[in-house]
Amino acid sequence: MDRALTLVTLLAERGSLSVTEAGRELGVAPSTAHRLLSTLCHRQFAVQGDKRLYRPGPALLALAKAGGPPLADRIRPYLQRLYDLVGETVHLMVRTGAEIRFVDGIESRHPLRVGLRTGARMPAYCTSGGKAMLADLEPSEIDALHAGGLPPWPGEKIHNLSALHETLEAVRRNRLGVNHEESEPGVTAIGASIGWIDGQHAALTTVLPTVRLATVDLETVTTHLLQVCADVRQAFGDNRDTKTAR
């Protein structure tokens, strides 16, 4: 059931999915991924289109239409408040499997700033919010997500699962994920998880150019970040029982 729900989430987020992509995200053989996708087609949650790509089916589209506002719209007031407090670029990201996607953001007005990354995808382990969300998972879940090893990424500083687990222990203690020029050169980010909201695992982050670190009160920034994330959790709950983005 969990794997099928993960595929439904992937279809909703990406709009299309191949058997190879599904297998990679789930950490299963293509034959298993194909069987799961076929089941979704039978239940009309997916349809197979051109180039053997699977797309959202009538049942999934009906659910999306009947549902409430998108996550980005619901979290936008909190993202705006975080931006008002820290004055740096802020993002909302969601996790699907071992990958994160930036779904919304507000860009800083500083002359020297980090631009928006909305729509971009990266491995979770090399981003601040991704680390914060991975820290929500059990070690066995993290191992399953990275059964084939950590995906390579330019600038990566975590090279194996053992190092990732060690890093995530620190994230759990501090409630913060830190990305110091791991996702891209010259960029430092701090992120915190807001848990699962309507089945989507999400985090908020603030990001700035590394060269400006010495001019920023990081303690104040992290305090504001943690408080806003706590307010989100209080407002929406942390629906771990409905998590689908493993």
Side-chain angles (χ1 to χ4, degrees), residues 75-93 104-108 110 128-129 176 189-194 203-207 216-232:
I75 303 301
R76 183 71 181 195
Y78 297 91
L79 196 66
Q80 181 67 55
R81 178 147 61 90
L82 178 60
Y83 170 77
D84 291 341
L85 288 167
V86 302
E88 301 291 347
T89 297
V90 294
H91 284 110
L92 166 68
M93 62 171 63
D104 196 12
I106 303 173
E107 187 170 326
S108 171
H110 284 289
S128 61
L176 291 166
I190 304 169
S193 170
I194 55 176
L204 298 181
T205 70
T206 181
V207 56
V216 175
D217 184 347
L218 289 180
E219 183 176 353
T220 298
V221 169
T222 56
T223 297
H224 288 318
L225 174 62
L226 288 172
Q227 183 58 60
V228 172
C229 288
D231 291 344
V232 173

Side-chain angles (χ1 to χ4, degrees), residues 171-183:
V171 174
R172 293 184 184 105
R173 289 194 300 270
N174 300 323
R175 297 181 296 154
L176 291 166
V178 177
N179 160 20
H180 184 65
E181 301 191 342
E182 294 173 63
S183 59

Side-chain angles (χ1 to χ4, degrees), residues 103-130:
V103 296
D104 196 12
I106 303 173
E107 187 170 326
S108 171
R109 295 180 181 176
H110 284 289
L112 184 59
R113 61 185 181 271
V114 177
L116 293 181
R117 300 294 185 263
T118 307
R121 299 175 184 274
M122 298 178 184
Y125 78 91
C126 64
T127 68
S128 61

Side-chain angles (χ1 to χ4, degrees), residues 14 86-87 103 133 158 202 211:
R14 299 185 181 184
V86 302
V103 296
M133 288 185 282
I158 301 173
V211 295

Side-chain angles (χ1 to χ4, degrees), residues 88-167:
E88 301 291 347
T89 297
V90 294
H91 284 110
L92 166 68
M93 62 171 63
V94 297
R95 181 185 65 83
T96 302
E99 182 181 71
I100 63 91
R101 178 170 61 89
F102 295 89
V103 296
D104 196 12
I106 303 173
E107 187 170 326
S108 171
R109 295 180 181 176
H110 284 289
L112 184 59
R113 61 185 181 271
V114 177
L116 293 181
R117 300 294 185 263
T118 307
R121 299 175 184 274
M122 298 178 184
Y125 78 91
C126 64
T127 68
S128 61
K131 291 175 186 176
M133 288 185 282
L134 289 176
D136 287 337
L137 304 178
E138 296 295 332
S140 59
E141 294 178 289
I142 295 166
D143 289 342
L145 286 176
H146 301 92
L150 301 182
W153 188 261
E156 65 183 34
K157 297 182 180 180
I158 301 173
H159 303 295
N160 52 56
L161 270 174
S162 177
L164 177 58
H165 282 301
E166 184 176 347
T167 297

Side-chain angles (χ1 to χ4, degrees), residues 59-79:
L60 179 54
L61 293 173
L63 283 176
K65 185 176 181 180
L71 179 65
D73 291 347
R74 300 175 71 187
I75 303 301
R76 183 71 181 195
Y78 297 91
L79 196 66

